[in-house]
Every structure is written in structure tokens, then in C-alpha cells.
Amino acid sequence: AASMREPGDVVVAVHTSRQGVAYYGPGLGLALGEDLFLADSLEDLDSIVAEAGPGGAILLTSMPRALRILRPDMQARIEGGWTSSRTFAATIGDGQISVWTPRGR
């Protein structure tokens, strides 16, 4: 995600990806609260995206089944505004990490 960013973009770790991204993000040059944000609800996601301004938000998701079951509103918003650009394989179940870029980019 860090390499896919354009100037002004922020990275948002969504739902089950939050802990891993918060841990590994600083090592990739992402600062929590500056260009890396964590969203566990639709309200969180909408607020972060609104604050992102003219840049945009790149989203990171993991465990799509859990997202679909536990946060269907977030999944619907993500699928409506972003495109899954890249997915990294997982070593457990559906724990892969997907990178979502704003639709139309």
C-alpha cells in the first residue's frame, strides 16, 4: 500500500487488518494518525475518508468473510468506492491482505 500511494493519500486499515497494519506500518514509513488510520466502523471509515481531502484513501482489508458477516455496511461502502488492486496471499484461511484504491484511479 505504501508503494501505491500518491501524494496526499492516506492508508486506512479496515476491521481485522488494523492490528497488523498498526504494528508493521511504522516500519514502512507510515505514521499512525498522520498518514495511517484505523477504521472499525462505517462511521470511522467515512470520517477518515472525509478528512483525507483531495488526496484520497487507500484501504487495507483482511479476512473478507469476517468483514462481510460482521461489517456488511463497511464492505458495501468499500466495494462501492474502491477497487481491489492487489491481494497478498495468507498463511491462514482467508487472512489475505487486499489493497483497495479509489475507483477511477
Side-chain angles (χ1 to χ4, degrees):
S3 66
M4 299 175 86
R5 291 176 59 212
E6 293 182 4
D9 283 350
V10 297
V11 175
V12 184
V14 176
H15 191 49
T16 55
S17 70
R18 292 172 299 133
Q19 287 182 316
V21 173
Y23 180 81
Y24 289 106
L28 298 171
L30 299 171
L32 194 58
E34 292 179 24
D35 50 10
L36 172 61
F37 297 89
L38 311 177
D40 192 36
S41 68
L42 182 58
E43 293 77 23
D44 292 344
L45 180 59
D46 287 344
S47 175
I48 294 165
V49 169
E51 292 288 322
I58 293 176
L59 309 183
L60 300 175
T61 62
S62 182
M63 300 190 153
R65 183 172 185 266
L67 183 63
R68 184 176 62 251
I69 292 169
L70 300 173
R71 302 283 191 272
D73 54 346
M74 289 182 80
Q75 179 171 341
R77 178 82 83 240
I78 291 167
E79 290 176 352
W82 288 265
T83 301
S84 179
S85 298
R86 187 154 184 206
T87 298
F88 298 91
T91 56
I92 58 163
D94 71 343
Q96 70 268 15
I97 300 289
S98 293
V99 180
W100 299 76
T101 53
R103 212 174 270 294
R105 199 187 274 186

